[in-house]
Amino acid sequence: MSPTNSDALLYKTLKDYFGYEAFRHLQKEIITSLLNGKDNLVIMPTGGGKSICYQLPALLLPGLTLVISPLIALMKDQVDALNANGISAAYVNSSQSDRENRDILDRVQQGSIKLLYLAPESLSFFEQLTQITSISLIAIDEAHCISSWGHDFRPAYTQLSFLKKQLPNTPLVALTATADKATREDIVQQLNIVEAQQNISSFNRANLSLEVRPGQERVKQLLDFLKSKPNESGIVYCLSRKQTEQLAERLQKNGYAAAAYHAGLPSQERSKIQEDFIHDTTPIICATVAFGMGIDKSNVRWIVHYNLPKNIEGYYQEIGRAGRDGLDAETLLFYSYADVVQLRKFAENSGNQEVQMAKLDRMLQYAEATHCRRNILLNYFGEPATDSCGNCDVCNHPPTLFDGTIIAQKILSGIYRLQENEPLHVLIDFLRGSQNAQILDKNYQELKTYGVAKDIAWKDLQHYCIQLLNQGFFEIAFHQNNSLKLNELSKEVLFNGHKVELSKPVEINKVAPTEVQKTSNPDNNLFERLRALRLELATAKGVPAYIVFNDATLRNIANERPITDEDFLAINGVGKQKLEDYGYDFISEIIRFNKDKAVRIKPTKPIKKIKKTPYWLLTKHINKACLPKKLPKIVA
Ligand code: ADP
Ligand code: ZN
């Protein structure tokens, strides 16, 4: 095959089966390399499009593609998605009966399955497979599970080294979103693919917006945040189980379909909650960090951290669960001084105290950032980044910095006057001249500097104190009731005129009410109508809504409004199978929508006659019953 021919074949397969017009970054290179028999290591962020890298070659290679995947839920999702695209795929694992597994192996033997998913624990099937079929490609998904360096280590993954030994000529591709070097080395060593072509794409998830806000009136802020996102799916991560339950209840009372999820719930209940989330029946989950691993839901549109996470790794993994379909998704983190105190306590009680503390400090620096947050994240993961991203709150609303030396001096002398014996809230009350019991009982009103900052609001003063703390101008003795302590740098400010720069507190954004109106009325909004249709079709088939079409494709349909088969197939994300299965229903809904609109909108200008062939003559799928009796009125 000439290079142009093979290129054309790749694009045709991409469109026919997956519905996409173009490859994403690195996909084509990886696919071509695998088709040429080379081993590959693929590092791509979540949502980068790893699956197609082995699923497309599987369609072009003669035999079976074997996919090793760690979780049954992930396998099921992938197999559902492949079947929906008209690709024969199946999995064998311990959740199925022997009979079911045997039936699948029979189908493999007949050559009617192109991709077979297998858990690393089920490799006993491997011998059988090599006897009944030829394996053309092996893909190892979530390959970081092989490494005890990183998170999610799975002992069964370490047994995979025999694959390359037994099938040395079969190309093997290892895929993961975990980029660190130690894990990478481990993967290629353990899988015996040291010569593998390495494809490392940026760790950046440009479609995720990043925002951090002070954690005051969080429930109110959260409700405001949700107003602009009716029906959209998201996760609120909380620190405690109790908090997940309380918050879910508050959201329910405010009309949101929300549920709590934590490790203390019975496993059956947890599975049900997870299932309802995946199927969009319960679009909002308030969860502890246990939630999300093994969920491949592509249309999670937002993530909120109700509390400060304990490290950047966890935070990045959690926000990474949003926007896997590549569409914009929002992330919002609340943090407060109380979170820091609690997390410090956790860290102190952990086995690895120093490392945990250092990681928490990095998390705090992120929360308090005065320059691009994305750069901080990327640099943390070893990817040099300096350009402002334009999609984080700091880039969009750069903080106003001012000379805060005098405020800093007041705060630090307050700590000194209280003899370094009091925690932050007492210091703030003291500086603001409060007359509460904690002040009066100890006669603090008699001390110098009492009330020197009474012109500054409580919250603002707290904001300045935390900034000073994070810049190292004083410390907290967590072992001594969180009392505040001065250090060398404090003395520089107090006695040597060392300048301190502080940032002004940011006003919390308010949601524009018009925006809410616009998106929440499904009658006026084709996207919402198509979304409801998608849910109906998905429920009838027993698959998650995003298996029918992901949000990106649904948006394309809503924007393009196709009313012929050709136009429907031309949508990015619609392949042949999906045209066959869903074209009729979606086109009918668009026609109904056009009709409703034509009736409702009174034309202000004369109506133009359509000269083109009426659209229903172009489309074989249209249901006669749903056609308008007359030509719809087209508003010029
Ligand atoms: P990963 O496994 O890297 O997290 P997926 O393979 O699940 O990512 O892909 C993420 C999303 O991107 C899916 O909805 C997938 O259909 C979509 N996608 C993959 N490749 C393309 C492409 N070339 N064009 C458009 N969308 C794509
Ligand atoms: Zn930025």
Side-chain angles (χ1 to χ4, degrees), residues 210 371-375 387-396:
L210 306 170
H371 66 277
C372 179
R373 294 196 204 275
R374 198 173 310 272
N375 284 350
D387 292 343
S388 295
C389 78
N391 197 18
C392 77
D393 53 345
V394 183
C395 283
N396 293 337

Side-chain angles (χ1 to χ4, degrees), residues 14 18 20-24 27 44-55 78 85 141-142 177 296 298 324-326 546 550 552 572-573:
L14 181 69
F18 301 95
Y20 297 129
E21 313 286 332
F23 287 101
R24 288 213 185 128
Q27 281 180 332
M44 258 187 210
T46 309
K50 288 186 281 298
S51 320
I52 282 179
C53 296
Y54 58 86
Q55 290 172 347
Q78 294 261 345
N85 279 327
D141 207 3
E142 311 288 348
D296 221 351
S298 73
R324 298 182 78 130
D325 50 15
Y546 57 83
N550 67 20
N572 199 26

Side-chain angles (χ1 to χ4, degrees), residues 242 291 538 551:
K242 199 165 142 213
F291 188 77
D551 279 10

Side-chain angles (χ1 to χ4, degrees), residues 376-390:
I376 297 181
L377 292 177
L378 293 176
N379 285 313
Y380 183 86
F381 291 113
E383 189 176 319
T386 48
D387 292 343
S388 295
C389 78

